[in-house]
Amino acid sequence: AQSVTQPDIHITVSEGASLELRCNYSYGATPYLFWYVQSPGQGLQLLLKYFSGDTLVQGIKGFEAEFKRSQSSFNLRKPSVHWSDAAEYFCAVGGDFGNEKLTFGTGTRLTIIP
Amino acid sequence: GAVVSQHPSWVICKSGTSVKIECRSLDFQATTMFWYRQFPKQSLMLMATSNEGSKATYEQGVEKDKFLINHASLTLSTLTVTSAHPEDSSFYICSVPPYGQGVTYGYTFGSGTRLTVV
C-alpha cells in the first residue's frame, strides 16, 4: 500500500530564511508526487508535481522540490520564505496516472516569524 | 487544470438532519471525483471515489448509508451526510483527478465545506 510520511509536524522559520519540508513516500511503482498548500479553512492549492523527467521541479510561489528515488523522498524547498507562506503543507503520492486516488501525508504546519 | 466549485462553503445543521454537499467540475467532464474528509489539524482521508453513472467506491470504515454519493452527470457529484451527528462535523473536500487533462495538470480540489452538527 502506498503511504506518505511527513516527519515534521510543525516548523518555524524566520522571514527571509530558507525552508525545507521533508516528505518520504512508499509506492510500489513509479510514483506521481505532489505538494499542496492549504490556508486555514481553505481548499488545497497545488504547488508543484513530479511525474517524470527532471528530478528537480519548479512550482509556484518560488517553491521547488527534488525527487530522489534512492531515498524515496520528495522534499520541498524555498530559498527565502515570506510571511504569506505560513500555511499547512501536504505531500501526496499517486500512481498509474489517471483516476487513482491520492494518499496524503499528515502535513507540516509552517509558521513564519518576523 | 480543471475548475472545481464546491458548495456550500460552510453549513450548520441540527443533529439528525441531512446535509447535501455539491462538487461541480466547471470546465472538465469528470468521470471520477474523490471525496475527502479532514479533521481539524489533520490530514485528508479519502472517503470514497465517485463514479459517473455507477455506484461509488467507499474506503474501508466509511459508512455507505451515512455518506451517500451520487454522480449523476459528468460535471456534478454530491455527498449527502444523512442523519448527521456531532461526530460528523468536519471539513469535506472534493477533488477531480487529472485524467484526460494531460500530464501537465495535477488533481484539482474544491474549496471545501465546513460542516458543523449541533
Side-chain angles (χ1 to χ4, degrees), chain A residues 34-39 41-47 60-61 88-92 102 104-105, chain B residues 4 6 36 38 42-44 91-95 107-112:
Chain A
F34 306 83
W35 273 100
Y36 286 89
V37 60
Q38 183 182 36
S39 298
Q42 301 296 313
L44 277 74
Q45 181 182 23
L46 178 67
L47 286 177
I60 62 171
K61 304 183 180 184
E88 189 86 18
Y89 291 79
F90 292 97
C91 181
L102 290 181
F104 286 85
Chain B
V4 177
Q6 185 173 341
Y36 292 85
Q38 185 181 30
Q42 295 189 27
S43 188
L44 284 78
F91 194 58
Y92 295 87
I93 309 177
C94 66
S95 171
Y107 295 67
T108 305
F109 287 82
S111 55

Side-chain angles (χ1 to χ4, degrees), chain A residues 36 38 49 51 99-100 105, chain B residues 34 38 43 59 103-104 107:
Chain A
Y36 286 89
Q38 183 182 36
K49 56 192 177 293
F51 298 140
N99 290 339
E100 186 168 312
Chain B
F34 299 106
Q38 185 181 30
S43 188
E59 295 299 299
V103 297
T104 56
Y107 295 67

